[in-house]
C-alpha cells in the first residue's frame, strides 16, 4: 500500500504545488504573504460548483469559472490591500489580507449557507491498477492538469514579454520601471494570476473531495504556504517540488504513524525550514 | 531648440534640499559630463529628469514638450534611457533576457532583433555570455550589459551614472571607448563620472555640481584648464600631466 | 498606541458592565428570560439553525398557550460558531445577566465542556440538547444532557454490529475532538465486550477534506466493517472517497450521521450506512408528524434529531419551571433534575443522578437514498 499512499500523495501534491506557486508569485513581487489565499480557493470552488449545478456539467467551464473568479477577487485584494497601502508599513497589508480572509469566508457562508455542498464526481473510475494500488482517472487528470498549468506558467514567464516583465519587476521594480515596465500593472496582473490559479485549484479540489464549504480553504492554504517555504518561496520550481514532496510525505506519514500526526508532520516541516533553512530547498538567499 | 532643456529644477528629500535650482541643456549629439563631489546631487539630477525621483519645481522639456515629473516608464518611452548607478543588472535573468527587458517598450519584434544584433556587435563579450545569468558576470561585463540594455530602447539620450564605478582599471578605458563609440553613433550622452580626469577627456561639454547647484559649465577643454577645477576635481596641484 | 487601546478597551468594558448592571437591576416579572447558545454559523451551522428554529417554535407555542406561571418566555440567542472560545464567552455574557433563568446549548460536547465551569460557578442551568460526552453532564450539577450519552448509544450500535450484522473485525475512524474520542472509545468497549475486535483506529482533525490516505491505511487491515465517529458532513466525504477507492464494505456510525444532509452530500456512496436515532422524522406518531409538518412549513427543511432535542429542551425546562413554581435558578435546577418520564419528541426523558437522560436508540439504515428504521 506504499504505492497507493504515494499516488494519493502525488495527487494531493498537485493541489499543494499550484497553491505554493501562487504564494511564490505574490512573495516574489511584493515580499508579502496573501492570507486570503485559502478564501480565493474556496471562492473558486463555489464558482465551479455553481457552474456544474446550474449551468453546465462541463468540467472545463467549471475550471474556467474558478479561474476567473479567483482572478477578479485577487485583483480586488491587490487593489485594496497592496496598492492602496503602498508606503504604509507592510503589516497593514498583511492585516488587510487577513481581514479579506474573514470577510470572504463569512460572505460565502451567508450567500451560500454554512452547510457543505456536494460536488458531483467526475472520472472516478479506476484508470490503472498497479500492484493493488488504484489510480483513478481523476487523479491522472489532476496531475496532468497541474503539469499543464505549470508548463503554461513556465511558458508565460520564460517565453513572453509579460513574463519577462513579471520576473524583472520581482527582481528589481525600480530598474524595471526604467525599462518602461508599468510596475503597478505588472504587479496587479501577477497578483490576479495567483488568485486565478488558486481559484482553479479550488475547483479541482472540489471535484476531488466532492465537497464545497466556506471553511474549506484554510487547511489547503496553510499546506500550500508550507510547500512554498519547504521548496523555497522565491522559486517557482521550488514551490512545485515543495508541493509534491509535502503531498508525498504527508500521505506516507499516515502509513507509518497514526493519521492524527499528519498535520503535525507538515507543520514540523514548516517550522524546521523556517528555523534552519528559511530559503527552502531551491530558494535563493533573499534580503527580507 | 535644445533636445533636453532643464530649468531651475528643485528636489527635496523630506526636509533636505537636494537640488536647489539646476539648469542644464543638451543638444542633439552632445556628450556632456557631470562632475562633482559625492552628495553634490548629480544622481538626484538624473533621477529627477528620468522620473525616478519626484521634483518639487522647475521645468524639464524634451524636444519642446514637458516631461516634468512624468513616470519613469513614460519617460523612457519618449526617448531618454537611464543606466542607473551600480548597473542594476537583473541578476537572475540571462544576459539576453536583460537585453530584451531593455527593449520592453519596443513592440516591433524585427526591430528588437536588430537592436539585439547591434548590441552584440558593439559588445561581442556579451554575445559570448548571452545565456549566462546576469549576476554571474564580472563588474566590467555587467557595466557593458547595463549600457547595452540602456541602448535596447533605442533612445535619443542615454544617461550614464558612474560607468567606471567598481570596475577593474584595465576595463575602464575599454568601457569609455564604447561610450565614445555610442556617441559617435549619434546618441546624445549625459554622463556622471567620479573619474573627472577621464570624463573631461572624453566628453565635449561639462557641468560641475556642488551641494545641489551647478557651479561651472563650459567646454571640457576649458574646464580642464580651469585652475579651481583642476585643484578640486582633477587632483592636480601643479602642471598638467 | 497601546495605552490608547487599553483605555479604549477599559472604557468599553466599563460601559458594558454598567449596562449589564442596569439590565440586571430591572427584572421584568412578566417574562422568563432564557438564553440559547448554538453554532448559527460555521461548520455546524445546520445543527445550530435547527436548534434556533426549533427553540423559537417551541417558545412561540408555549407563549401562544398562555406561557408558564403566567409569564411569557423571552429568548436571547448567541452564535458560538462551533468554537469553544466563543461558547465560553457567551457563557460569561449569559451568567452576568441576572434576568436569565437558564441556558440551552451548546451543540458540540467540546463547546459545552469549555463553557461548563462558567455555568457551574455562576449557578446557571446548562441544558444541552446534544452534548453526549460521557463526562459532560457528570462534570457539574448545573449541566444536563437531554441527548443522553454515548454510554447509552454505543451499546445499541455494538449489539447491531455483532448480533445482527455479524461483524468480527472492525476499523474505527473518528474526528479528533472530545466527542469523537469518547464515541469511538465507547463503541470499542462495547464491541469488544461482545467479542468483536478492533483491528485499526485512525483519526483526523476538524477541517480535513482529504481522507484518501487514512482510508488507504485502514483498508490494509482488511476489516469486515468500518465505524465512523464523525458528523454527517465528514461522513459523506469519507463515504465518497471510499467509494472512489472502490473499497466496498459495510459502514456503521454514530447518531451524528443521521441527517438528511448525509444523503444529499453523500449520494449513492452513503447507501447502506447504519446509524441510530432517538428521533425519527418519519415516525408515524401524530405528535411527531405535527411537529415535523409545522417545522417544514415554517423553515422549509425537515427537522433533524438536533432540532427535536432542542424542542424537547424548551418543554422540559417549561415543565420544570411549572413544577418549581418560580423562576429561582436553584428551584428550577432541582425540579429539572427530578424530571421523570417526560414525554419528549425524541423519546421520554428521565435524568440519571449524573443528569444524563436515559434514552432508547433505534438503529436506522440508508436504503435507496432514505433513512429507514432497521427492524
Amino acid at each position: 500500500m506504499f504505492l497507493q499512499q504515494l499516488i494519493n500523495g502525488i495527487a494531493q501534491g498537485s493541489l499543494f504545488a499550484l497553491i505554493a506557486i501562487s504564494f511564490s508569485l505574490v512573495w516574489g513581487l511584493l515580499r508579502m504573504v496573501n492570507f486570503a489565499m485559502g478564501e480565493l480557493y474556496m471562492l473558486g470552488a463555489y464558482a465551479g460548483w455553481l457552474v456544474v449545478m446550474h449551468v453546465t456539467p462541463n468540467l472545463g467551464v467549471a475550471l474556467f469559472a474558478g479561474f476567473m473568479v479567483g482572478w477578479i477577487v485577487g485583483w480586488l485584494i491587490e487593489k485594496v490591500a497592496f496598492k492602496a497601502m503602498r508606503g504604509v508599513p507592510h503589516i497593514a497589508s498583511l492585516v488587510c489580507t487577513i481581514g479579506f480572509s474573514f470577510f470572504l469566508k463569512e460572505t460565502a457562508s451567508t450567500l451560500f449557507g454554512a452547510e457543505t455542498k456536494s460536488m458531483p464526481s467526475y472520472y472516478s473510475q479506476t484508470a490503472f491498477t498497479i500492484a493493488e494500488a488504484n489510480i483513478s482517472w481523476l487523479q491522472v487528470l489532476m496531475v496532468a492538469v497541474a503539469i499543464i498549468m505549470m508548463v503554461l506558467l513556465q511558458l508565460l514567464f520564460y517565453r513572453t514579454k509579460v513574463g519577462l516583465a513579471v520576473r524583472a519587476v520581482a527582481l528589481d521594480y525600480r530598474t524595471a520601471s526604467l525599462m518602461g515596465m508599468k510596475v503597478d500593472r505588472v504587479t496587479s496582473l501577477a497578483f490576479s494570476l495567483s488568485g486565478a490559479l488558486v481559484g482553479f485549484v479550488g475547483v479541482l479540489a472540489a471535484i476531488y473531495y466532492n465537497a464545497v464549504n466556506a471553511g474549506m480553504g484554510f487547511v489547503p492554504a496553510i499546506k500550500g504556504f508550507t510547500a512554498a517555504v519547504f521548496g523555497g518561496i522565491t522559486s517557482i520550481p521550488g514551490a512545485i517540488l515543495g508541493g509534491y514532496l509535502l503531498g508525498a510525505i504527508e500521505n506516507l506519514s499516515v502509513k507509518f504513524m497514526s493519521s492524527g500526526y499528519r498535520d503535525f508532520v507538515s507543520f514540523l516541516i514548516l517550522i524546521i525550514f523556517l528555523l534552519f533553512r528559511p530559503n527552502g530547498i531551491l530558494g535563493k538567499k533573499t534580503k527580507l | 531648440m535644445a533636445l533636453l532643456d532643464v530649468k531651475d529644477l528643485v528636489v527635496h528629500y523630506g526636509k533636505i534640499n537636494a537640488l536647489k535650482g539646476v539648469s542644464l541643456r543638451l543638444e542633439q549629439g552632445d556628450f556632456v559630463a557631470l562632475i562633482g563631489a559625492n552628495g553634490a546631487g548629480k544622481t538626484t539630477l538624473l533621477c529627477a529628469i528620468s522620473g525616478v525621483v519626484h521634483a518639487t519645481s522647475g521645468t524639464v522639456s524634451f524636444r519642446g514638450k514637458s516631461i516634468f515629473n512624468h513616470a519613469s516608464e513614460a519617460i523612457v518611452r519618449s526617448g531618454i534611457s537611464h543606466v542607473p548607478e551600480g548597473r542594476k543588472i537583473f541578476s537572475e535573468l540571462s544576459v539576453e533576457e536583460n537585453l530584451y527587458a531593455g527593449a520592453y517598450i519596443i513592440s516591433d519584434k524585427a526591430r528588437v532583433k536588430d537592436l539585439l544584433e547591434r548590441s552584440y556587435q558593439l559588445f561581442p563579450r556579451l554575445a559570448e555570455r548571452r545565456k549566462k545569468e546576469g549576476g554571474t558576470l564580472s563588474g566590467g561585463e555587467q557595466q557593458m550589459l547595463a549600457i547595452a540594455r540602456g541602448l535596447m530602447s533605442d533612445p535619443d539620450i542615454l544617461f550614464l551614472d558612474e560607468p567606471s564605478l567598481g570596475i577593474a582599471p584595465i576595463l575602464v578605458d575599454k568601457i569609455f571607448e564604447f561610450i565614445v563609440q555610442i556617441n559617435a553613433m549619434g546618441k546624445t550622452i549625459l554622463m556622471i563620472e567620479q573619474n573627472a580626469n577621464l570624463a573631461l577627456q572624453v566628453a565635449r561639454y561639462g557641468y560641475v555640481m556642488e551641494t545641489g547647484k551647478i557651479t561651472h559649465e563650459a567646454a571640457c577643454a576649458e574646464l580642464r584648464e580651469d585652475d579651481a577645477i583642476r585643484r578640486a576635481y582633477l587632483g592636480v596641484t601643479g602642471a598638467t600631466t | 498606541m497601546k495605552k490608547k487601546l487599553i483605555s479604549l478597551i477599559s472604557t468599553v468594558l466599563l460601559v458594558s458592565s454598567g449596562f449589564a448592571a442596569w439590565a440586571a437591576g430591572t427584572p421584568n416579572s412578566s417574562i422568563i428570560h432564557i438564553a440559547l447558545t448554538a453554532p448559527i454559523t460555521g461548520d455546524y451551522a445546520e445543527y445550530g439553525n435547527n436548534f434556533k428554529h426549533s427553540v423559537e417554535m417551541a417558545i412561540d407555542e408555549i407563549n401562544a398557550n398562555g406561557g408558564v406561571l403566567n409569564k411569557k418566555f423571552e429568548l436571547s440567542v448567541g452564535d458560538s460558531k462551533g468554537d469553544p472560545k466563543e461558547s465560553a464567552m457567551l457563557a460569561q455574557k449569559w451568567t452576568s445577566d441576572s434576568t436569565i433563568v437558564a441556558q440551552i446549548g451548546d451543540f458540540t460536547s467540546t463547546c459545552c465542556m469549555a463553557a461548563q465551569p462558567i455555568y457551574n460557578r455562576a449557578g446557571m442551568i446548562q441544558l444541552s440538547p446534544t452534548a453526549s460526552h460521557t463526562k459532560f453532564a457528570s462534570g457539574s450539577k448545573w449541566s444536563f444532557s437531554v441527548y443522553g450519552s454515548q454510554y447509552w448509544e454505543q451499546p445499541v450500535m455494538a449489539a447491531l454490529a455483532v448480533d445482527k450484522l455479524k461483524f468480527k473485525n472492525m476499523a474505527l475512524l473518528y474526528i479528533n475532538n472530545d466527542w469523537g474520542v469518547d464515541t469511538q472509545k465507547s463503541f470499542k468497549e462495547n464491541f469488544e465486550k461482545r467479542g468483536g475486535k478492533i483491528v485499526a483506529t485512525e483519526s483526523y482533525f476538524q477541517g480535513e477534506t482529504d481522507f484518501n490516505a487514512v482510508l488507504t491505511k485502514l483498508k490494509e487491515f482488511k476489516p469486515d466493517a468500518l465505524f465512523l465517529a464523525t458528523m454527517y458532513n465528514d461522513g459523506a466525504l469519507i463515504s465518497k472517497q471510499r467509494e472512489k477507492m472502490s473499497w466496498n464494505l459495510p459502514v456503521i456510525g454514530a447518531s451524528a450521521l443521521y441527517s438528511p444532509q448525509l444523503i444529499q452530500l453523500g449520494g449513492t456512496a452513503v447507501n447502506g450506512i447504519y446509524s441510530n436515532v432517538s428521533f425519527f422524522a418519519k415516525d408515524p406518531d401524530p405528535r411527531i408528524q405535527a411537529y415535523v409538518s409545522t417545522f417544514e412549513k415554517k423553515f422549509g427543511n425537515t427537522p433533524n434529531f438536533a432540532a427535536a432535542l432542542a424542542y424537547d429542551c424548551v418543554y422540559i425546562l417549561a415543565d420544570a419551571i411549572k413544577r418549581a413554581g418560580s423562576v429561582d435558578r436553584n428551584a428550577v435546577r432541582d425540579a429539572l433534575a427530578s424530571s421523570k418520564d417526560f414525554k419528549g419528541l425524541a423519546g421520554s426523558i428521565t435524568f440519571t443522578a449524573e443528569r444524563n437522560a436515559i434514552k432508547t436508540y433505534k438503529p436506522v439504515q440508508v436504503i435507496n437514498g432514505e433513512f429507514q428504521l432497521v427492524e
Side-chain angles (χ1 to χ4, degrees):
Chain A
M1 284 290 142
F2 180 85
L3 191 62
Q4 183 72 64
Q5 295 292 25
L6 191 65
I7 291 161
N8 294 339
I10 289 171
Q12 202 183 10
S14 300
L15 304 178
F16 292 163
L18 289 171
I19 302 170
I21 292 174
S22 301
F23 275 108
S24 282
L25 256 178
V26 174
W27 179 264
L29 285 161
L30 296 156
R31 290 288 178 270
M32 202 82 84
V33 176
N34 176 7
F35 283 106
M37 212 64 105
E39 282 57 44
L40 288 163
Y41 169 100
M42 176 269 296
L43 290 177
Y46 269 108
W49 174 77
L50 283 173
V51 165
V52 169
M53 302 308 282
H54 301 293
V55 186
T56 160
N58 186 317
L59 202 51
V61 179
L63 286 167
F64 180 73
F67 188 89
M68 283 320 291
V69 165
W71 183 282
I72 293 162
V73 181
W75 177 84
L76 194 74
I77 292 175
E78 197 271 337
K79 286 285 163 287
V80 176
F82 293 96
K83 180 130 189 273
M85 296 205 180
R86 193 161 290 166
V88 181
H90 266 190
I91 191 81
S93 290
L94 289 185
V95 171
C96 192
T97 65
I98 295 173
F100 259 105
S101 160
F102 281 97
F103 172 73
L104 294 174
K105 191 172 155 185
E106 294 304 324
T107 304
S109 152
T110 314
L111 222 56
F112 301 109
E115 70 278 5
T116 304
K117 307 283 184 205
S118 175
M119 185 86 173
S121 293
Y122 283 87
Y123 308 111
S124 54
Q125 308 87 334
T126 302
F128 316 99
T129 305
I130 309 168
E132 277 189 63
N134 294 323
I135 306 172
S136 70
W137 281 113
L138 180 63
Q139 289 178 321
V140 174
L141 181 83
M142 266 169 54
V143 176
V145 165
I147 291 173
I148 291 170
M149 211 63 188
M150 289 168 202
V151 169
L152 285 179
L153 279 176
Q154 214 57 9
L155 288 177
L156 174 75
F157 289 133
Y158 290 92
R159 292 278 182 279
T160 69
K161 213 165 149 172
V162 177
L164 180 67
V166 171
R167 288 189 295 146
V169 169
L171 287 168
D172 180 349
Y173 71 89
R174 278 198 189 85
T175 307
S177 84
L178 286 178
M179 315 279 113
M181 293 167 184
K182 292 175 173 133
V183 174
D184 284 351
R185 202 183 285 178
V186 169
T187 307
S188 165
L189 181 97
F191 207 97
S192 307
L193 183 65
S194 82
L197 208 56
V198 281
F200 180 88
V201 181
V203 183
L204 273 183
I207 296 160
Y208 192 45
Y209 303 128
N210 300 114
V212 177
N213 67 57
M216 70 187 284
F218 178 71
V219 174
I222 291 192
K223 298 283 173 70
F225 180 67
T226 306
V229 172
F230 186 25
I233 197 162
T234 53
S235 140
I236 285 178
I240 296 170
L241 181 73
Y244 281 107
L245 274 179
L246 186 69
I249 290 172
E250 257 205 14
N251 283 267
L252 290 174
S253 77
V254 174
K255 175 163 174 52
F256 298 111
M257 286 183 267
S258 165
S259 50
Y261 291 109
R262 179 181 187 162
D263 291 342
F264 166 81
V265 170
S266 315
F267 296 126
L268 195 67
I269 290 175
L270 179 65
I271 291 166
I272 289 173
F273 270 75
L274 284 175
L275 278 177
F276 298 106
R277 205 180 149 79
N279 301 311
I281 303 171
L282 295 184
K284 299 219 165 111
K285 278 219 165 78
T286 46
K287 281 170 246 138
L288 297 185
Chain B
M1 183 179 63
L3 184 61
L4 180 71
D5 198 350
V6 178
K7 282 205 182 89
D8 305 319
L9 200 58
V10 176
V11 171
H12 288 92
Y13 292 133
K15 280 183 180 149
I16 300 160
N17 190 352
L19 286 190
K20 300 169 183 165
V22 171
S23 301
L24 174 147
R25 285 162 67 91
L26 289 181
E27 299 294 341
Q28 180 74 48
D30 256 355
F31 189 166
V32 174
L34 191 56
I35 62 174
N38 280 339
K42 297 170 299 198
T43 296
T44 302
L45 174 58
L46 291 201
C47 287
I49 300 171
S50 69
V52 178
V53 165
H54 194 88
T56 316
S57 64
T59 61
V60 180
S61 55
F62 179 66
R63 295 189 187 284
K65 282 197 186 117
S66 172
I67 55 163
F68 177 74
N69 275 347
H70 285 192
S72 51
E73 87 233 6
I75 287 174
V76 63
R77 280 185 170 75
S78 58
I80 298 176
S81 182
H82 182 169
V83 178
E85 186 178 6
R87 310 181 284 269
K88 296 283 158 45
I89 295 304
F90 297 116
S91 56
E92 287 170 33
L93 302 191
S94 70
V95 167
E96 192 146 300
E97 284 171 338
N98 265 285
L99 293 174
Y100 275 121
Y104 186 76
I105 61 166
I106 300 173
S107 36
D108 178 356
K109 280 188 181 155
R111 203 164 143 234
V112 174
K113 270 270 175 295
D114 289 346
L115 287 163
L116 192 68
E117 279 317 306
R118 191 183 71 183
S119 303
Y120 287 147
Q121 276 165 19
L122 198 58
F123 303 101
R125 191 67 164 270
L126 296 181
E128 286 164 30
R129 319 232 143 175
R130 64 209 295 170
K131 297 286 170 217
K132 284 258 186 318
E133 272 192 13
T136 65
L137 301 187
S138 73
E141 288 166 344
Q142 284 195 2
Q143 189 60 59
M144 290 180 207
L145 179 55
I147 295 170
R149 185 180 64 182
L151 285 171
M152 283 297 287
S153 63
D154 203 11
D156 297 314
I157 303 179
L158 192 63
F159 285 180
L160 296 172
D161 196 341
E162 304 279 17
S164 77
L165 195 72
I167 290 173
I170 26 165
L171 273 176
V172 171
D173 286 346
K174 187 112 191 170
I175 296 279
F176 276 87
E177 272 171 38
F178 286 132
I179 297 171
V180 170
Q181 214 177 324
I182 291 162
N183 179 238
M185 280 158 47
K187 302 289 180 201
T188 307
I189 291 174
L190 174 58
M191 176 179 77
I192 297 177
E193 182 50 60
Q194 38 143 21
N195 187 337
N197 247 322
L198 199 54
L200 294 183
Q201 271 165 39
V202 294
R204 282 190 295 277
Y205 199 79
Y207 288 85
V208 181
M209 278 187 81
E210 241 173 70
T211 57
K213 278 187 121 75
I214 303 265
T215 51
H216 297 75
E217 61 162 294
C220 287
E222 221 173 289
L223 289 175
R224 283 202 299 271
E225 301 306 318
D226 188 307
D227 276 346
I229 289 174
R230 283 159 60 110
R231 270 197 301 278
Y233 302 106
L234 302 181
V236 182
T237 42
T240 29
T241 41
Chain C
M1 185 63 196
K2 214 170 190 179
K3 264 189 191 159
K4 256 190 198 163
L5 199 66
I6 291 169
S7 64
L8 182 73
I9 290 172
S10 42
T11 314
V12 169
L13 284 177
L14 260 171
V15 170
S16 55
S17 58
F19 266 109
W22 171 76
T26 56
N28 188 332
S29 59
S30 67
I31 61 153
I32 302 170
H33 190 179
I34 62 171
L36 171 68
T37 313
I40 308 293
T41 60
D43 285 348
Y44 301 127
E46 194 213 337
Y47 295 111
N49 286 302
N50 264 298
F51 269 19
K52 182 166 172 269
H53 291 154
S54 228
V55 166
E56 283 170 357
M57 199 173 130
I59 284 177
D60 288 348
E61 286 169 12
I62 293 171
N63 287 347
N65 289 326
V68 177
L69 307 176
N70 290 323
K71 296 172 199 279
K72 300 270 165 101
F73 272 106
E74 192 179 283
L75 182 69
S76 291
V77 181
D79 178 8
S80 73
K81 307 183 173 93
D83 181 345
K85 293 191 293 293
E86 297 279 341
S87 196
M89 268 164 63
L90 285 166
Q92 296 283 11
K93 183 178 164 188
W94 305 140
T95 52
S96 63
D97 181 345
S98 68
T99 66
I100 294 178
V101 179
Q103 184 265 167
I104 296 175
D106 197 337
F107 170 68
T108 68
S109 294
T110 309
C111 285
C112 289
M113 289 163 90
Q116 187 170 43
I118 298 160
Y119 291 113
N120 185 38
R121 221 176 300 132
M124 179 182 281
I125 290 173
Q126 182 189 20
L127 177 58
S128 172
T130 49
S132 63
H133 194 287
T134 46
K135 299 241 160 55
F136 164 63
S138 60
S140 149
K141 73 165 196 167
W142 294 93
S143 300
F144 292 82
S145 170
V146 165
Y147 184 84
S149 83
Q150 298 304 326
Y151 188 71
W152 309 108
E153 181 186 336
Q154 293 319 323
V156 176
M157 294 316 282
L160 176 77
V162 176
D163 302 341
K164 189 171 162 68
L165 303 171
K166 311 285 180 210
F167 299 149
K168 289 190 177 62
N169 299 316
M170 284 191 72
L172 297 180
L173 179 53
Y174 67 95
I175 180 165
N176 203 338
N177 62 21
D178 288 330
W179 174 84
V181 170
D182 199 42
T183 301
Q184 62 92 13
K185 217 191 265 167
S186 178
F187 178 79
K188 185 171 189 256
E189 276 170 23
N190 284 289
F191 185 63
E192 286 174 344
K193 219 186 289 168
R194 286 171 181 271
K197 198 177 153 210
I198 299 297
V199 291
T201 306
E202 289 293 325
S203 65
Y204 65 92
F205 287 95
Q206 189 178 331
E208 183 60 80
T209 50
D210 188 323
F211 298 100
N212 290 310
V214 180
L215 289 171
T216 301
K217 186 174 182 188
L218 291 175
K219 191 181 173 187
E220 276 184 70
F221 293 91
K222 302 197 166 43
D224 306 333
L226 178 64
F227 179 85
L228 296 180
T230 71
M231 300 287 133
Y232 72 89
N233 47 356
D234 294 343
L237 273 189
I238 290 167
S239 300
K240 280 210 150 186
Q241 290 176 29
R242 182 186 51 73
E243 189 186 45
K244 275 194 212 169
M245 284 170 51
S246 36
W247 184 28
N248 299 310
L249 87 170
V251 178
I252 68 177
S255 54
L257 290 180
Y258 173 68
S259 163
Q261 283 286 319
L262 176 79
I263 294 162
Q264 258 186 40
L265 287 173
T268 56
V270 299
N271 260 335
I273 288 190
Y274 292 94
S275 179
N276 70 84
V277 292
S278 52
F279 164 78
F280 191 58
K282 291 204 193 66
D283 197 317
D285 182 339
R287 251 179 85 219
I288 292 177
Q289 284 316 308
Y291 164 72
V292 170
S293 68
T294 312
F295 192 99
E296 281 176 340
K297 233 174 275 155
K298 268 191 149 153
F299 308 113
N301 64 304
T302 307
N304 63 12
F305 75 96
L309 289 163
Y311 187 83
D312 285 351
C313 281
V314 180
Y315 273 98
I316 200 169
L317 190 64
D319 179 63
I321 293 169
K322 205 190 287 168
R323 281 187 286 113
S326 86
V327 292
D328 175 65
R329 286 177 181 179
N330 276 296
V332 176
R333 192 217 83 92
D334 293 343
L336 184 63
S338 64
S339 298
K340 211 166 176 259
D341 294 327
F342 175 83
K343 294 278 171 280
L345 289 179
S348 73
I349 301 170
T350 301
F351 287 109
T352 63
E354 292 188 325
R355 293 159 303 282
N356 277 311
I358 303 168
K359 287 274 178 107
T360 48
Y361 299 91
K362 298 166 233 169
V364 288
Q365 187 181 17
V366 182
I367 295 169
N368 296 327
E370 261 187 82
F371 278 106
Q372 297 190 10
L373 284 170
V374 174
E375 296 308 322

